[in-house]
Amino acid sequence: MSKSSKYVSHQSDKDGFIHWSAEENQIWSELMQRQLSCIEGKACDEYLDGLKKLNLPVDRIPQLAEVNAVLEPSTGWKVTEVPALISFDRFFQLLANKEFPVATFIRSREEFDYLQEPDVFHEIFGHCAMLTHPAFAEFTHTYGKLGLAASKEDRVYLARLYWFTIEFGLLSSKDGLRIYGGGILSSPGETLYAISSDVPDRKVFDVVDVLRTPYRIDIMQPVYFMINSINDLFDVSQLDLMAMVQQARSLGLHAPKFPPKEKKAS
């Protein structure tokens, strides 16, 4: 949801079918094969279970109806086709309706390893497997309803909750550190960095702490938050989160653990 995009989403035809090119399907295939290998021993069991349910094709980009055929019976969620960029109002509205937005474009070869905008690979491979899990699905739904009703100022704080859970969440399991955040799971570099590097700070999850922690979207994360179980997210969804937003606002932000973003010369 940045200000501009060089990508343009495909529009589905009257039957809801998106016509992807051979090159786009090839990029999906290469991304899938690389990332399936990369997440071995690093993704949480709930994600892997969801991925098995989705049974995503490796040789082509799945149609959204194929994903919905699994999501809707599992948790009542579905994916919805959106342009490359949508407003925060639209984003929260979709989540509040149990619709996960999928921008129907795929990254170019020039941005094969990393792009700032969420493409179809990030949204489907990164997020949809977790949406088959009831606790994760309930947390995401609650988040959408809160965001839809929140003020612009409160949404800035809520964005950090989304960032450090749905996008970049870690889980401290009986088998060791595991990933459930889609922003990590769809990135080979961040998958290795989040689990194996001694650079980032990995903190025990605390809602107010999360709400006070700044982040940047264009760097490897200096801070991750760990839950003990995906069911912890259901417990979080039952809290008075907006009261915690007010508490975080009164306490103020933590000092960022990253340098300020350099401004491009005009």
Side-chain angles (χ1 to χ4, degrees):
M1 288 177 290
S2 53
K3 291 182 181 177
S4 62
S5 173
K6 69 176 185 179
Y7 291 101
V8 177
S9 288
H10 289 282
Q11 288 192 311
S12 57
D13 64 18
K14 59 183 175 59
D15 299 315
F17 191 88
I18 294 172
H19 297 269
W20 299 96
S21 71
E23 171 65 3
E24 287 169 327
N25 282 322
Q26 182 61 29
I27 288 172
W28 168 277
S29 179
E30 291 174 29
L31 287 168
M32 275 282 286
Q33 291 178 70
R34 179 174 71 169
Q35 203 57 15
L36 284 170
S37 172
C38 189
I39 64 173
E40 281 184 24
K42 300 177 184 71
C44 70
D45 289 344
E46 292 83 356
Y47 173 83
L48 296 173
D49 290 344
L51 206 56
K52 195 178 294 182
K53 288 178 186 174
L54 287 174
N55 193 26
L56 298 172
V58 176
D59 61 334
R60 62 173 175 84
I61 301 170
Q63 295 297 319
L64 301 192
E66 295 175 283
V67 178
N68 289 339
V70 177
L71 282 185
E72 291 190 271
S74 297
T75 55
W77 274 78
K78 67 177 184 177
V79 289
T80 295
E81 169 188 343
V82 298
L85 299 171
I86 58 174
S87 68
F88 281 108
D89 279 342
R90 178 68 175 140
F91 175 70
F92 286 120
Q93 183 182 54
L94 287 167
L95 296 187
N97 290 332
K98 294 189 176 181
E99 297 178 55
F100 199 82
V102 173
T104 47
F105 72 89
I106 195 160
R107 69 195 67 183
S108 65
R109 288 213 173 270
E110 291 71 37
E111 295 188 294
F112 191 82
D113 290 329
Y114 173 78
L115 78 166
Q116 289 189 29
E117 300 163 52
D119 68 347
V120 68
F121 180 75
H122 168 85
E123 302 290 30
I124 290 180
F125 184 88
H127 289 299
C128 288
M130 288 306 305
L131 281 170
T132 66
H133 191 281
F136 185 92
E138 178 64 19
F139 174 79
T140 310
H141 185 215
T142 298
Y143 179 85
K145 290 187 290 184
L146 290 174
L148 190 60
S151 68
K152 183 179 178 181
E153 294 76 17
D154 287 346
R155 283 178 176 179
V156 175
Y157 280 80
L158 282 175
R160 298 186 188 104
L161 182 61
Y162 189 93
W163 187 260
F164 288 113
T165 54
I166 294 169
E167 289 291 358
F168 288 91
L170 293 179
L171 189 151
S172 183
S173 78
K174 65 183 188 308
D175 299 316
L177 202 58
R178 295 291 183 268
I179 305 164
Y180 72 92
I184 309 175
L185 289 164
S186 60
S187 165
E190 194 112 17
T191 295
L192 295 171
Y193 172 83
I195 294 292
S196 305
S197 173
D198 58 4
V199 172
D201 187 10
R202 301 175 185 89
K203 303 178 72 175
V204 174
F205 186 87
D206 174 86
V207 174
V208 175
D209 194 15
V210 166
L211 294 171
R212 297 178 64 203
T213 301
Y215 65 87
R216 265 177 60 179
I217 68 170
D218 60 335
I219 58 173
M220 294 287 191
Q221 298 307 301
V223 180
Y224 298 100
F225 287 89
M226 303 176 297
I227 57 176
N228 293 314
S229 162
I230 295 299
N231 292 320
D232 290 353
L233 293 179
F234 178 82
D235 297 337
V236 171
S237 75
Q238 305 305 300
L239 300 173
D240 187 347
L241 291 170
M242 296 316 295
M244 292 178 161
V245 166
Q246 299 313 312
Q247 184 183 351
R249 287 184 65 174
S250 68
L251 290 169
L253 295 182
H254 295 308
K257 296 193 174 208
F258 50 79
K261 191 172 182 179
E262 290 184 13
K263 291 183 178 179
K264 291 182 180 178
S266 55

